[in-house]
């Protein structure tokens, strides 16, 4: 009985997040950005704490911001430690907002290929997603 309860708990965790509309921006350089929409159909918040991929040395979760420098608007980006996905809610990682930076690419990415990304959640949960590389 205890084994079945544990299995049901793992199945509930696995279905507690849904990824939609993901993609990686084509980049011939050493870094690339990845975007996706993360939905939480569950009743508890989800905390996305990071990601990893076999195609890069490391992955960082970033946010884009705008600040004023000498009277001009300047865009920048900075790392964030986590993203909270509210119950029955969603968080979009998109250009100009939150995104993943794939840093230190181990090889150039080609438009049309697919990249495995492992999303890391608080509590040790991992969700594998496969994202297409697109030249948008």
């Amino acid at each position: 009985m205890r084994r079945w309860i544990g299995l049901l708990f793992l199945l509930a965790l696995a279905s507690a997040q849904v990824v939609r509309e993901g993609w990686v921006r084509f980049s011939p350089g050493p870094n690339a950005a990845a975007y996706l929409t993360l939905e939480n159909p569950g009743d508890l918040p989800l905390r996305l704490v990071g990601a990893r991929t076999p195609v890069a040395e490391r992955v960082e979760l970033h946010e884009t911001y705008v600040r004023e420098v000498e009277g001009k608007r300047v865009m920048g980006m900075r790392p964030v430690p986590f993203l909270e996905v509210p119950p029955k809610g969603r968080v979009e990682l998109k250009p100009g907002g939150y995104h993943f930076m794939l840093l230190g690419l181990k090889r150039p990415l080609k438009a049309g290929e697919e990249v495995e990304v492992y999303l890391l959640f608080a509590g040790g949960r991992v969700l594998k997603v496969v994202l297409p590389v697109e030249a948008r």
Side-chain angles (χ1 to χ4, degrees):
M1 179 69 162
R2 180 175 273 184
R3 192 175 291 172
W4 282 107
I5 292 172
L7 179 60
L8 290 174
F9 179 72
L10 289 175
L11 289 173
L13 286 178
S15 65
Q17 57 262 348
V18 177
V19 173
R20 300 196 189 282
E21 305 161 5
W23 59 288
V24 175
R25 185 184 301 273
F26 163 75
S27 173
N31 305 316
Y35 311 99
L36 53 87
T37 299
L38 187 61
E39 295 179 353
N40 178 6
D43 295 326
L44 298 173
L46 289 172
R47 182 172 280 198
L48 178 66
V49 296
R52 67 179 194 276
T53 180
V55 301
E57 294 296 325
R58 69 183 194 280
V59 179
E60 292 181 359
L61 183 58
H62 282 197
E63 70 176 333
T64 303
Y65 66 92
V66 177
R67 63 187 169 124
E68 189 118 352
V69 176
E70 297 177 6
K72 296 181 182 177
R73 292 174 48 130
V74 177
M75 286 185 88
M77 63 180 170
R78 60 183 160 229
V80 294
F82 64 87
L83 282 180
E84 194 85 19
V85 186
K88 310 283 190 238
R90 66 191 282 162
V91 171
E92 292 184 62
L93 283 74
K94 60 185 179 181
Y98 292 110
H99 58 280
F100 286 114
M101 286 302 301
L102 284 56
L103 301 171
L105 292 174
K106 296 177 181 176
R107 60 176 176 75
L109 300 180
K110 299 175 190 161
E113 76 173 295
E114 294 182 328
V115 173
E116 291 180 354
V117 177
Y118 296 85
L119 304 179
L120 310 175
F121 294 90
R125 292 173 283 175
V126 178
L127 177 65
K128 176 185 169 184
V129 295
V130 178
L131 305 176
V133 176
E134 298 181 5
R136 291 190 192 184

